[in-house]
Amino acid sequence: AAPGAHDAITASPEIATVLDRAGLSKEDMNLGLAVAVERQQGESSAWWPYLRLLTYPRTFPLFYEAAELEALENPPLQESLACMSEAVAAVASKSGLPDAELREALSLVRSRRFGSDVSTCMIPLGDFLNHSFYPSCAWEAPTAQRPESWRL
């Protein structure tokens, strides 16, 4: 999907409200929508060589059922995750994407994306460099000495 292709979904007032309530950025959700669409395309996606490497077990918070949320015994965390779940369900419904596929894609985005004051993106293979509690990989903006590109 082209950049900005999902803006109409995330800019709608009802979606903007649930995203804000859940603490989810429009940029992350737009990227999640794009990743879900590209994953649906499978081998016909230009991103498939990268996307096929990204597996996501459905054991993470965006997949928690009510009983699993209750077992956390942490009301603020339960409320936060419930709000996120509600937001994902609303966006999936509005976009026509399967709920589980959007949850997977958004989970991938939130755990692998790079961000700056200019953009949010996923960098193929760059995301594999930071799987640590103490990431050592940084995203650097162009400088006057190196104006031609971003650097990882």
Side-chain angles (χ1 to χ4, degrees):
H6 305 292
D7 285 347
I9 294 169
T10 57
S12 72
E14 69 271 14
I15 297 299
T17 298
V18 295
L19 290 178
D20 186 55
R21 184 169 179 254
L24 292 171
S25 73
K26 175 184 169 186
E27 293 78 13
D28 278 358
M29 186 57 76
N30 283 338
L31 187 53
L33 285 162
V35 168
V37 168
E38 291 296 324
R39 290 180 83 200
Q40 280 187 330
Q41 293 178 26
E43 292 181 16
S44 66
S45 168
W47 294 97
W48 187 246
Y50 167 61
L51 294 174
R52 70 183 176 83
L53 300 174
L54 306 179
T55 58
Y56 198 83
R58 294 183 179 186
T59 57
F60 288 91
L62 279 179
F63 291 97
Y64 284 5
E65 299 291 333
E68 293 167 310
L69 288 174
E70 191 68 32
L72 293 173
E73 297 182 3
N74 183 325
L77 181 57
Q78 291 168 329
E79 182 180 338
S80 174
L81 291 173
C83 287
M84 278 191 205
S85 185
E86 176 186 327
V88 174
V91 173
S93 176
K94 185 144 184 103
S95 69
L97 286 167
D99 184 90
E101 289 181 24
L102 183 56
R103 287 176 192 276
E104 286 178 2
L106 186 60
S107 295
L108 289 168
V109 165
R110 290 179 53 85
S111 65
R112 296 176 174 276
R113 61 122 163 76
F114 286 83
S116 72
D117 57 345
V118 177
S119 179
T120 297
C121 63
M122 290 174 71
I123 303 172
L125 304 180
D127 58 339
F128 291 117
L129 301 175
N130 264 352
H131 281 244
S132 166
F133 286 112
Y134 305 101
S136 59
C137 183
W139 182 238
E140 297 176 3
T143 63
Q145 297 78 24
R146 189 184 34 79
E148 66 282 352
S149 66
W150 289 80
R151 186 169 77 180
L152 179 63

